[in-house]
Amino acid sequence: MPVTMSQAFLDNFLGNSPKWFKFAILSFLVINPVVFYLNPFVAGWLLVLEFIFTLAMALKCYPLQPGGLLAIEAVIIGMTSPSQVLHEIEANLEVLLLLIFMVAGIYFMKQLLLFAFTKMITKVRSKIAVSIMFCVASAFLSAFLDALTVIAVIIAVAVGFYSIYHKVASGKNFNDSHDHTSDGQNQLCEEELEAFRGFLRNLLMHAGVGTALGGVCTMVGEPQNLIIAAQANWQFAEFALRMSPVTVPVFVAGVLTCYLVEKFKVFDYGKQLPDAVHKILSDYSAHEDAHRTKHDKIKLVVQAFVGIWLIIGLAFHLASVGLIGLSVIILTTAFNGVTNEHALGKAFEEALPFTALLAVFFAIVGVIIDQQLFAPVIQWALSYEGNTQLVIFYIANGLLSMVSDNVFVGTVYINEVKAALLDGQITRDQFDLLAVAINTGTNLPSVATPNGQAAFLFLLTSAIAPLIRLSYGRMVWMALPYTIVLSIVGILAIQFGGLEQMTQYFYDNNMLLHHTLQEVGNSAASAH
């Protein structure tokens, strides 16, 4: 049967997405203007739910296209204005610079990170020790780098290990492109292959959770952290200290959970690396070390020094995060000889789709602000007092982040709380406490599903996932112990962890600084 124009249009619309999803998006686009004409408030909430739906369906279709269509229509029919969208983007420019430049900067440090993670697996035989090392290393890196970048590096490590295994299992040498399967001596049995897949699944999940444990700690760990820090006017060190009453006990609980699931081999953990596979990886590592030239070694040294600069620059806030990321690009490429434009372009491929999606986020945020959608919810939450109020915000952010993207959730809530502060509904101390609850709420419970965190979604949609049999359901199951422990410990830390004392500490220090500056000013005036 010949294809009609309508069939061709539907086939092209959103590509390989399911037909029911295509019809759902088209239905949204038809219904929204009608509902907006009848009741703008209801239409606004309908748009938010539709956008969350596109985020939840990210495995079927990347949210940029369907979410972008909804956002464009919202602007056209007057739910928000282009100037409001631009205002939101301008207010969060530092976040966009983080995604563009920092992720690209770390791309040029992958050699060093690959080297470090390879040594972990080949030199340490204890599965529990390796798992904890991967979790802690991912947490540390995510505290100073974007979590998406860290998981991208670890995925590259896993893909590298799998390709090495596959090459040798097929009877090839490390540098051989010809098949020698007739030799048969390097053929690995199916049991060893399945055990190796399980081993890689375990490490990738521990690393993924590690990015959440570290990402919640600092203002650069996740994009919404930087948005929250900007609204609260916190620098790197202050952000880390204010979060520490929650993040420190959560980190300890996370590492302990890693140990326990490996020790008792529950939730699909405890898979051991077969001896035959370990020998292959060790031989490969030794082969690489033996053939590493002086040019390769100096590249690793340069990347190490740039990594030190990155940590110092962020810790002391020597420049905005995005500009520090740009300096990383310049330093690593200049001293390692990467001067080709196309080679530079590859570094930006990972970050730019999510950067574009974040701009769409801000369009939806513009609708929420203009239509005052979250005002009733925020007012209800603010009607409570003390730590109960903080726990409500933590749970509300956590539940929404499980099914939606935590960047979107964090952005919406911090903007609404900031508006309440400017309107005089809450004090500055309340705002600081709520900012901690929002940040931890969006980062910790969101490990429950791949929808919540970009790093988890990136792992699920990567090339390694089908190779190691890592499905959506299996990810949810393997994340379950972490979800339960991190969420409960987070609530207890907010309730009893001393957040108010930390807020009082900063209040006292700020007052001391204010009085000191005032005295200096008075002394200067008297001398004059």
Side-chain angles (χ1 to χ4, degrees):
M1 293 291 292
V3 177
T4 64
M5 292 296 289
S6 59
Q7 288 176 326
F9 170 80
L10 189 61
D11 289 340
N12 289 341
F13 180 66
L14 299 182
N16 294 323
S17 304
K19 282 190 176 181
W20 67 265
F21 180 76
K22 297 181 181 183
F23 282 118
I25 298 301
L26 290 173
S27 300
F28 295 159
L29 294 173
V30 172
I31 292 171
N32 287 346
V34 177
V35 178
F36 182 67
Y37 176 78
L38 298 174
N39 191 317
F41 185 81
V42 173
W45 267 109
L46 183 62
L47 177 71
V48 171
L49 294 176
E50 291 167 354
F51 187 71
I52 292 174
F53 169 74
T54 65
L55 296 175
M57 294 299 297
L59 294 179
K60 301 296 183 182
C61 179
Y62 193 67
L64 175 63
Q65 289 79 22
L69 290 173
L70 294 172
I72 291 172
E73 182 185 66
V75 173
I76 292 174
I77 65 178
M79 298 179 78
T80 188
S81 63
S83 60
Q84 180 65 39
V85 177
L86 181 59
H87 172 73
E88 292 300 319
I89 292 175
E90 289 174 342
N92 296 283
L93 181 61
E94 194 169 355
V95 180
L96 299 178
L97 292 179
L98 161 70
L99 289 173
I100 296 171
F101 292 132
M102 187 64 78
V103 175
I106 304 308
Y107 175 88
F108 295 108
M109 296 177 63
K110 277 187 177 180
Q111 288 173 296
L112 178 65
L113 297 171
L114 286 169
F115 174 80
F117 281 107
T118 301
K119 292 301 180 186
M120 284 185 196
I121 286 186
T122 57
K123 299 298 183 184
V124 182
R125 285 298 284 142
S126 169
K127 172 63 186 309
I128 294 177
V130 170
S131 298
I132 292 176
M133 289 172 68
F134 260 69
C135 184
V136 173
S138 299
F140 176 78
L141 291 172
S142 295
F144 294 96
L145 315 174
D146 180 70
L148 186 64
T149 306
V150 176
I151 202 67
V153 170
I154 297 173
I155 288 171
V157 173
V159 171
F161 288 158
Y162 195 90
S163 63
I164 294 163
Y165 148 78
H166 188 268
K167 180 180 291 185
V168 176
S170 300
K172 300 178 183 177
N173 297 321
F174 297 126
N175 294 324
D176 193 359
S177 60
H178 300 289
D179 199 344
H180 299 291
T181 51
S182 58
D183 296 343
Q185 58 192 17
N186 287 321
Q187 295 295 324
L188 298 181
C189 64
E190 185 64 28
E191 291 79 4
E192 287 175 335
L193 171 59
E194 188 54 41
F196 183 40
R197 285 170 173 162
F199 177 81
L200 290 179
R201 278 199 306 269
N202 290 178
L203 293 188
L204 284 168
M205 286 302 296
H206 290 315
V209 173
T211 62
L213 292 174
V216 69
C217 294
T218 67
M219 61 184 284
V220 296
E222 292 279 355
Q224 74 270 17
N225 297 18
L226 201 59
I227 295 171
I228 292 169
Q231 295 288 7
N233 197 27
W234 294 341
Q235 302 303 329
F236 188 89
E238 182 177 355
F239 185 98
L241 286 173
R242 285 188 179 276
M243 297 296 159
S244 61
V246 180
T247 57
V248 171
V250 163
F251 175 79
V252 174
V255 175
L256 181 61
T257 304
C258 178
Y259 170 81
L260 292 175
V261 295
E262 286 292 339
K263 177 70 174 178
F264 295 102
K265 300 181 179 181
V266 293
F267 294 95
D268 199 37
Y269 290 103
K271 307 295 184 182
Q272 299 295 323
L273 179 65
D275 293 334
V277 181
H278 179 266
K279 185 178 186 307
I280 290 173
L281 298 180
S282 298
D283 290 346
Y284 172 78
S285 179
H287 175 271
E288 288 294 295
D289 290 343
H291 291 79
R292 186 170 289 113
T293 65
K294 290 183 178 179
H295 291 88
D296 296 328
K297 292 177 181 177
I298 201 65
K299 286 181 180 179
L300 295 178
V301 172
V302 167
Q303 291 172 29
F305 276 108
V306 173
I308 294 172
W309 146 245
L310 173 64
I311 294 173
I312 293 174
L314 292 173
F316 293 97
H317 199 71
L318 301 180
S320 71
V321 178
L323 295 182
I324 291 175
L326 179 58
S327 72
V328 168
I329 296 175
I330 294 171
L331 292 172
T332 51
T333 55
F335 288 98
N336 283 341
V338 182
T339 57
N340 185 278
E341 183 179 0
H342 295 291
L344 290 170
K346 292 180 180 179
F348 294 89
E349 291 177 359
E350 293 177 358
L352 287 182
F354 190 72
T355 305
L357 178 60
L358 198 60
V360 174
F361 283 174
F362 296 139
I364 305 300
V365 170
V367 173
I368 291 171
I369 293 172
D370 285 349
Q371 303 301 324
Q372 298 183 338
L373 302 182
F374 271 68
V377 179
I378 298 297
Q379 294 304 320
W380 170 77
L382 292 178
S383 65
Y384 292 86
E385 296 181 355
N387 288 346
T388 303
Q389 183 187 82
L390 302 181
V391 170
I392 288 175
F393 268 87
Y394 176 89
I395 294 174
N397 279 269
L399 291 175
L400 196 55
S401 294
M402 288 181 183
V403 296
S404 180
D405 187 273
N406 55 3
V407 180
F408 173 68
V409 177
T411 302
V412 169
Y413 269 90
I414 196 63
N415 283 338
E416 292 297 322
V417 172
K418 183 64 176 289
L421 172 65
L422 296 177
D423 290 341
Q425 299 180 44
I426 58 174
T427 65
R428 174 67 204 204
D429 287 350
Q430 271 183 289
F431 173 81
D432 290 337
L433 292 170
L434 289 171
V436 175
I438 292 169
N439 183 69
T440 52
T442 55
N443 276 288
L444 299 177
S446 58
V447 302
T449 69
N451 307 92
Q453 299 222 8
F456 276 57
L457 187 61
F458 187 70
L459 171 59
L460 186 62
T461 55
S462 67
I464 192 65
L467 295 178
I468 61 175
R469 307 298 188 263
L470 185 60
S471 63
Y472 186 99
R474 180 168 264 168
M475 279 193 76
V476 172
W477 174 248
M478 295 180 73
L480 184 58
Y482 284 110
T483 304
I484 295 171
V485 172
L486 301 188
S487 299
I488 292 175
V489 174
I491 290 176
L492 294 176
I494 286 176
Q495 185 73 33
F496 308 108
L499 285 177
E500 292 181 351
Q501 290 85 339
M502 183 63 72
T503 300
Q504 186 64 40
Y505 165 79
F506 278 100
Y507 174 79
D508 293 340
N509 279 355
N510 287 337
M511 289 302 295
L512 178 61
L513 178 62
H514 174 75
H515 288 311
T516 302
L517 292 174
Q518 192 174 39
E519 290 176 5
V520 170
N522 292 337
S523 299
S526 300
H528 180 71

